[in-house]
Amino acid sequence: MSKKTFIFTEKIEFVPDEELERELEFNLRAAAYVYNKALEYSIYRKNLVKEFAIGAESEVNRKYTQKILKELKKQKNFLKKAESTCLHASTDRLIQSYNGYYEHRSGHPKFKSIKKNPVKSITLRNNEYPTKEGMKGSLRWEGNRFRLNKLGYIEVKHKRDINGKIKEATILKENGRWFLCIVYELDKIKPREEFQEPELYVGIDVGLKDFLTFSNGKVIAKPDLKRINGRIQHYQQKLARQKRGGSNWKKTLKKLHKWINKKNNVVNDYYHKISYNIVKHCRFIAMETLNIRGMIKSRNLSRSIHEIGWGKLIEMIKYKAEWYGREFVQINRWFPSSKKCNVCGEINHDLGRGEREWECSCCHSVLKRDVNAAKNILDEGLRAAGSTVLCLVDFTSIGQYKFIYHYELKCFDKKLGVA
């Protein structure tokens, strides 16, 4: 049985000096050049096979990209000055892009633009080598400085305590700011704080109007980004009217980056607080498996779905649940959580997208769409986990078509498929 390990990433902002920034910019351009050339040769080879039947078509893999990189280094001397592991990582990214294309998970890989892309990055691998003091990694902490393979040192104000084995480091330039993302491996997770064992079981339904709806009826609103989005839109329009590369254009771009960074910080802070509180107070968490790629194709909703970032929040809840020993389950994508009555199980096939409340034709219960979906998600999550199911055990009539329902959590029998 293989030993389970946990992969973590620490993201630290830093301010490079002029010499280091020049080196980093050079390596960013070199990595992008290698990526674009490898992609160009791959497309050229594919066209030769397709149009002229010259050669044989084969998948883009490590053996193929290493040959291209070797030839490029012979032709272009400036690539020999670049950090070698970041060039190899760049070709590995191309392989990952092609794997996604072959498996129909993404479109065909595209060329990288250094000027237009607001996010640029290079990845450095940690190579270990023997010394008199023992094995040392090419990426390591030395006091408050982080050593990079060939580029020098990055000084940070507050060093993070990283006890695991460093695998790689990514230098990220995002909207004018520099970040160091250290990826490291741990055998055990020691939570920063211990919670009392909670007893709350929840199902969570996500939406655009009500951001999160819980099975107990609680609703959490999405972050208020109206003012920030207004400032971003203002500076985008102003930037479009100015001459690219001019002094006023650079000033406006700097202000635009400031507001984009502010938006990212507000969203990340909000999501971290929500996910932390959910994991702290809930023992069992059930959510939907969302087809976000498919949802984005809708013209009316694509912008709202991009902005709200359900995938980011679900990932936060997922890894924090693993940290603190909570059970997290995602139900099947095709489960009709909104259309199914959580009282009697009847499915309303005629339910429209805009209907927020509906009455069950079988038991005549009046159901709120999102709360009903959250309760169904909880029941299905418990059933999928094979633990317990919220079951209706009795009900009392209090008038015409009005009842008080009584529920109990019962053990689910996997063999019989009933509680």
Side-chain angles (χ1 to χ4, degrees), residues 144-180:
N144 273 0
R145 301 193 305 170
F146 188 79
R147 183 189 182 277
L148 301 176
N149 295 358
K150 194 177 178 181
L151 308 177
Y153 292 87
I154 290 176
E155 291 190 18
V156 296
K157 290 182 180 179
H158 304 288
K159 178 190 170 183
R160 306 285 179 89
D161 293 327
I162 297 175
N163 301 319
K165 181 183 177 182
I166 296 174
K167 305 288 288 181
E168 62 185 31
T170 298
I171 309 297
L172 181 70
K173 188 179 183 183
E174 185 177 11
N175 297 318
R177 297 163 72 191
W178 290 93
F179 295 94
L180 170 65

Side-chain angles (χ1 to χ4, degrees), residues 201-206 212-219 284-288 331 335-340 342 368-382 390:
Y201 290 69
V202 296
I204 304 174
D205 180 59
V206 299
L212 295 180
T213 305
F214 293 79
S215 52
N216 59 7
K218 185 179 179 182
V219 175
F284 182 92
I285 305 158
M287 297 187 78
E288 292 177 284
I331 66 169
F335 179 73
S337 58
S338 297
K339 296 181 178 181
K340 184 179 178 182
N342 71 84
K368 290 186 178 180
R369 184 192 183 100
D370 294 340
V371 177
N372 173 64
K375 287 180 179 179
N376 285 326
I377 289 167
L378 174 59
D379 288 351
E380 179 64 14
L382 289 167
L390 193 66

Side-chain angles (χ1 to χ4, degrees), residues 71-84:
E71 289 300 318
L72 284 175
K73 281 187 174 181
K74 289 179 182 177
Q75 297 172 14
K76 305 292 181 181
N77 289 327
F78 75 91
L79 291 178
K80 295 178 182 178
K81 299 177 184 178
E83 207 282 326
S84 61

Side-chain angles (χ1 to χ4, degrees), residues 189-198 275-276 279-280 282-283 316-327:
I189 299 176
K190 188 177 180 182
R192 294 174 184 175
E193 55 184 311
E194 294 182 1
F195 303 133
Q196 293 181 351
E197 190 63 28
S275 57
Y276 172 82
V279 170
K280 180 179 179 180
C282 301
R283 184 177 181 178
M316 287 182 182
I317 295 172
K318 191 174 181 179
Y319 78 74
K320 284 174 185 173
E322 193 173 11
W323 279 8
Y324 294 104
R326 307 294 188 249
E327 194 170 0

Side-chain angles (χ1 to χ4, degrees), residues 27 31 35 62 65-66 69 82-96 121-129 136-140 146-152 165-171 180-184:
N27 280 274
Y35 181 95
R62 179 71 65 85
T65 55
Q66 293 308 310
L69 182 57
E83 207 282 326
S84 61
T85 63
C86 82
L87 301 182
H88 287 288
S90 182
T91 56
D92 288 345
R93 286 184 184 180
L94 179 64
I95 295 169
Q96 289 175 4
S121 65
I122 52 171
T123 299
L124 312 176
R125 305 280 168 75
N126 189 16
N127 298 321
E128 293 188 339
Y129 55 90
K136 274 191 175 182
S138 54
L139 301 173
R140 62 178 183 269
F146 188 79
R147 183 189 182 277
L148 301 176
N149 295 358
K150 194 177 178 181
L151 308 177
K165 181 183 177 182
I166 296 174
K167 305 288 288 181
E168 62 185 31
T170 298
I171 309 297
L180 170 65
C181 303
I182 305 170
V183 179
Y184 61 99

